[in-house]
Amino acid sequence: KAGVTQTPRYLIKTRGQQVTLSCSPISGHRSVSWYQQTPGQGLQFLFEYFSETQRNKGNFPGRFSGRQFSNSRSEMNVSTLELGDSALYLCASSLEAGPIEQFFGPGTRLTVL
Amino acid sequence: QKEVEQNSGPLSVPEGAIASLNCTYSDRGSQSFFWYRQYSGKSPELIMSIYSNGDKEDGRFTAQLNKASQYVSLLIRDSQPSDSATYLCAVKGNTGKLIFGQGTTLQVKP
């Protein structure tokens, strides 16, 4: 079974631009979560989607948003990019929502100049 | 107090030894506990999950959970150089959010 895929793998943007990241979960998985990983803050939860609905949200500003489609694929959008948004953005999928195992994709490395 | 705390290390053990990685958490209502391994430049890989008190063994890995003490640990027996990585403890509490510790770097020396 194919794993979680994320596109693009690398992105370079400038301050003020916006970016959209894509995630395709493992086949049959209906829950998708997004995380930001930086050396200083570690892995931080952004949001979780299940059945096209946002179930949970982390402590990030409104510039960070996401959505999930009927085929469980998810996108994450960051508007008005700041230098501090440079990070590895990870998507994880699980069969269902709730306290069960999540499997991570390879991540998208975003650099904001 | 951080929600999930780990010693950042590095923890250095000789090849063949037992590596012991520890994690404490603050939310008493936490329900699910996970250990992930992350190699440099790679994404986290799930290696163990544990949901009830006690020990859970999977090959060379044993996860231990003590909810009363709010403590979860990972033991790696017969450590190999290929086990050298950062180990992330993750806890899912009543909020439903998966909270990660900062990770412990393990170095296994041949």
Side-chain angles (χ1 to χ4, degrees), chain B residues 26-104:
Chain B
S26 60
D27 181 359
R28 280 199 170 273
S30 297
Q31 308 158 4
S32 311
F33 307 84
F34 307 92
W35 284 99
Y36 285 84
R37 177 176 61 198
Q38 188 171 25
Y39 292 111
S40 181
K42 301 293 186 182
S43 61
E45 172 193 7
L46 179 67
I47 52 174
M48 290 287 287
S49 60
I50 187 165
Y51 302 99
S52 54
N53 279 331
D55 294 0
K56 179 182 178 182
E57 188 174 316
D58 183 0
R60 295 186 297 113
F61 299 98
T62 299
Q64 300 174 317
L65 175 61
N66 184 326
K67 289 186 179 180
S69 300
Q70 295 173 246
Y71 176 95
V72 58
S73 65
L74 180 70
L75 300 178
I76 306 175
R77 288 183 300 281
D78 189 24
S79 295
Q80 300 297 308
S82 58
D83 294 326
S84 298
T86 296
Y87 289 80
L88 299 164
C89 171
V91 177
K92 203 155 195 178
N94 286 329
T95 63
K97 302 175 187 177
L98 191 61
I99 307 299
F100 284 82
Q102 289 286 92
T104 298

Side-chain angles (χ1 to χ4, degrees), chain A residues 2 11 18 20 29 32-33 37 43 47 50-51 56 66 68-70 73 76 78-79 85 89 92 96 99:
Chain A
L11 264 180
Q18 77 164 21
T20 298
H29 284 199
V32 173
S33 297
Q37 188 173 34
L43 255 171
F47 24 66
F50 178 76
S51 292
N56 225 323
Q68 187 181 33
F69 302 96
S70 58
R73 191 177 70 84
M76 189 191 101
V78 188
S79 62
D85 296 333
Y89 289 89
E96 301 288 339

